[in-house]
Amino acid sequence: MELIDRIRSARGAGEADLVITNCFLLDVLSGRVHPGTVAVSGGWIVGLDGGYKAARTMDLGGRYLAPGLIDAHVHLESSMVTVPQFASAVVPRGTTTVITDCHEIANVMGIDGINYMLDCAAEAPLDVFVMLPSCVPATPLETSGAVLEAADLEPLLGEPRVIGLGELMNYPGTIAGAPEVLAKLKLFGGRPIDGHAPGLTGNDLSAYIAAGPDSDHECTTAAEAEEKLQKGMYVFMREGTGARNLLDLLPVANADNSRRCCLCTDDSHPTDLLGRGHIDSLLRMAVGAGVSPLRAVQMATLNTATRFGLSSRGALAVGYRADMVVFDDLESFGVSTVFKDGRVVTTDGALTEAPGEQRSVASSFNVAGFGANRLRLRATGKRARSIVVEPGQIVTGTSLTPVAVQDGFAEADPQEDLMKIAVVERHGGTGNVAVAFVRGFKLRAGALASSVAHDSHNVVVVGCTDADMTAAVERIVAMGGGQVVVVGGEVKAELALPIAGLMSPLTVEEVARGVETLNRAAGDLGCALDDPFMTMSFLALPVIPELKLTDKGLVDVGRFEIVGPFTD
Amino acid sequence: MELIDRIRSARGAGEADLVITNCFLLDVLSGRVHPGTVAVSGGWIVGLDGGYKAARTMDLGGRYLAPGLIDAHVHLESSMVTVPQFASAVVPRGTTTVITDCHEIANVMGIDGINYMLDCAAEAPLDVFVMLPSCVPATPLETSGAVLEAADLEPLLGEPRVIGLGELMNYPGTIAGAPEVLAKLKLFGGRPIDGHAPGLTGNDLSAYIAAGPDSDHECTTAAEAEEKLQKGMYVFMREGTGARNLLDLLPVANADNSRRCCLCTDDSHPTDLLGRGHIDSLLRMAVGAGVSPLRAVQMATLNTATRFGLSSRGALAVGYRADMVVFDDLESFGVSTVFKDGRVVTTDGALTEAPGEQRSVASSFNVAGFGANRLRLRATGKRARSIVVEPGQIVTGTSLTPVAVQDGFAEADPQEDLMKIAVVERHGGTGNVAVAFVRGFKLRAGALASSVAHDSHNVVVVGCTDADMTAAVERIVAMGGGQVVVVGGEVKAELALPIAGLMSPLTVEEVARGVETLNRAAGDLGCALDDPFMTMSFLALPVIPELKLTDKGLVDVGRFEIVGPFTD
């Protein structure tokens, strides 16, 4: 819409596209909830007064009209579906904009992966803004599918959807002034730079902020959030599938600082998206915890738009995009209608039209020299350093466990809850395979494997026998990525994730059913974990204490170095 | 300071330049006032914890430390002094950043005037950011010293101090979609665009906002401010010399919208700067009116920095410029120390060092064909359309007044409080001189003249005789600009304003004394106005109702056209 047409429309010349009446506006700018009228033309809000003629009038029957919700920080890949399918799930919940850090697909496919997300984003009925991943690979202790330096990211700065640098997980390198980190910080100077500094405090936190990051979504306590707010960070309060911090952090937000608080999900699995919802569920929690509806909505709209410089989003005002959501009330936040760019895009909780082309990508799988013999582990010590999984935690423990040895090779021992775990490199054909032991799965038989394994997303497999583990990995490779349960050489459940080994082309509902089937099949094998595939996805992440396995070997996270699988 | 050095300093490696202790921080980010420590290096705040070693430690004795104050909208030229002298006056009051619209000097000198201000700004101990003037000339009904189109402004966009487009006074043209206005709006798309829309409401206001301006400093009532906030504007609450709106507008600011409210002065005359102060005086008023000190300070710091995208200003936090002010208390807001870029720049209420080079400009005066005969006004009707001045108002009235006629020419009549007024074009040697009548000055004899006359700043003269008026104008021309009181052909008081006819190279104190001397001399002639030169400065401004005089003639502002000086 040309500027002149917008002005004319606002002046009331000719017909507006749409006038919305009989509603209460969540007016995040003037800080009030009040009755109002909204006139829309060409995708923009052009007026808030009466007296506009329009091609269409909608009477909201006294419901509440709010700006479309914004997720301040999400890794879309964690939903295990593509951008259009993600949009199908979240837009009917009122989300019209997300800020995504395509850290996962970039670790698999590099710039091609980022471009894939940008291409998908262009078509979805959801504004997807991209923070370029800052840490590919996440650590030098693993093999990722790409290495992205500042010079690799620079050509993407001109993309209109690219708005900043994604969560800078390498805070030790930042504080130490590592040149490759500084090069990225300088490249993104003046743009939003998201932080990731769990537990960082005192002068180390100041050094990290001085370097550039001015947001953090890793706070777990009010004191941590308070310190980060004071020192200059926006605090993104997170409530996702893996990490649920909202209720602990909400008490920090007050009348004079809540503008610096935003809501985010970080990672949401398909079952959660369908069950709990998206940012709408955070609104319910916040209001349930005593935050005023207006302030909660500000945290999900205006505050985030302001932090990211999205100046025409996040409010119901003239000159803003007509991205709007109709809530039945300000307690349940049940959504009856969603407008994107002034058009009604949902009906009965679903999108009214297809959310854009389903794009595929060529498989990037490149596994070399894998076979059952690669899973054998020669017993070089009396006790195995075993990763100990705790239900519901991504932090692991360590146990030193005597293992059964046969022909010089250490064996899994289901009766002692001792499984083998392996990570198989899948990007560069290095042939890397690392093997160790893990406790806590309590499988009686069989194996589970997945190509979703933060952050490098190599294939992780846990099982009772080398044969089933081998079959599981081979099935993953054959699918070009996915998750599988195998027992006795037979596939009991599987979900193909052919898009970078991370995402399915199916709908969220189908993927959620697939995940449930996998979990049930794992349960049938005795698995003690509610969501063993989510647990597995963090077992190869060498930045979370205390013992993890990458394709390069067992990582003592505290010492940040590779250790042997056995000790005396 | 290199990024790596800032990080090291924040980490506590080596010595910081300065550590400030024993104070309460006005922590505008976390929304609290709390005891704190601030470490500064290289002009930046690097830490807020204890434990920093520093070359210098300052104990504030329990005083309050706030971010340096920011004036959201000011025409520096109105202070009648140069940028360094302005800095001398306002920095000791705690102001460390101003957003200036060099509308006045640009109307005299065009791009050269803007560049002059930019050059001065580079040296002052005050961050001067520039909004490029959008309306040069202000109207087609007057002759200004320059005409600035979008193409003229474009080369200045690369200047680091240039951050947006200044107040768009031409709201009728904006709403009507005038091409030359749209060209400027498009050029500045995505940058801050300041509005100026006194009394604009309803769909016209929406049309104006839809065009781009998203701030307004012209609100005079709470209802007006409320509507502008709702529709998407930042409201700059103004308290200056000419317009005093703060107390009327403060009731609009609440916990959930005050972030969209900023403080500004617009125009401050030297006497006010010395007497009342600058933004500090607005803080006193706001807190006196019941606003919390923290929220008042937010309106004078963080809010304004956020609106203008000045992301490293407006808060006491890591990575922010160390621009800070020490207040004795949160009621008087008495300033004991000001830090600019981490250095103490004031002592005992004055700058500690010279505020930068005093730059002069070549005179732009170009008056042609002026002489006493040009002030003669042939009586073409029975009654004169006289401008009626009301004390303390910039709005004027009209009276239709019978005039004395001699030899066919209309004469002033001091006994009837009927003076002659003339505007003499001074930029282009056009020879334009317009003459009419004015009431309200009550001069018994003599004439007053000034080269400060919004917005084109031609020479305005009011007097009882053509001879004294001529002498006054000739003295202004001889000084290359200024203000003068003449009686019996003799100069009784004068103040030279050789910089564009608007500013003096003297100090604020000297200029304030000069203004007082002028006013006293005018008073000696019987003048009934407290500040006749300020009154005169608005008599040539054809956008303020209802009758004004430009070099092109008498303007009926309501009809926005030139009318004759007589009627039947």
Side-chain angles (χ1 to χ4, degrees), chain A residues 456-525:
Chain A
S456 289
H457 301 294
N458 288 305
V459 179
V460 60
V461 57
V462 169
C464 299
T465 69
D466 289 4
D468 278 348
M469 290 171 75
T470 303
V473 171
E474 285 174 344
R475 182 63 195 147
I476 297 282
V477 174
M479 291 192 292
Q483 299 183 325
V484 65
V485 177
V486 168
V487 65
E490 193 184 333
V491 172
K492 290 294 181 186
E494 69 179 22
L495 175 65
L497 300 172
I499 297 161
L502 301 173
M503 292 176 279
S504 159
L506 302 178
T507 66
V508 176
E509 289 81 0
E510 290 166 327
V511 174
R513 277 199 295 275
V515 170
E516 282 161 31
T517 305
L518 284 163
N519 286 340
R520 210 160 35 236
D524 291 345
L525 300 181

Side-chain angles (χ1 to χ4, degrees), chain B residues 516-537:
Chain B
E516 281 161 32
T517 306
L518 285 162
N519 287 342
R520 211 160 36 234
D524 291 345
L525 299 181
C527 183
L529 301 171
D530 285 341
D531 191 345
F533 289 90
M534 187 167 111
T535 301
M536 284 165 67
S537 76

Side-chain angles (χ1 to χ4, degrees), chain A residues 226 228-234 254 256-261, chain B residues 26-32 48 67 294 298 302 306 313-318 320:
Chain A
E226 183 72 29
K228 285 174 175 170
L229 273 180
Q230 274 183 28
K231 290 191 169 165
M233 288 181 139
Y234 279 84
N254 65 36
D256 292 311
N257 71 20
S258 68
R259 68 176 83 175
R260 307 282 293 185
C261 303
Chain B
L26 280 133
D27 183 348
V28 295
L29 297 182
S30 80
R32 296 188 304 127
L48 296 173
L294 186 90
Q298 284 179 327
L302 178 64
T306 301
R313 283 173 179 77
L316 300 174
V318 177
Y320 282 65

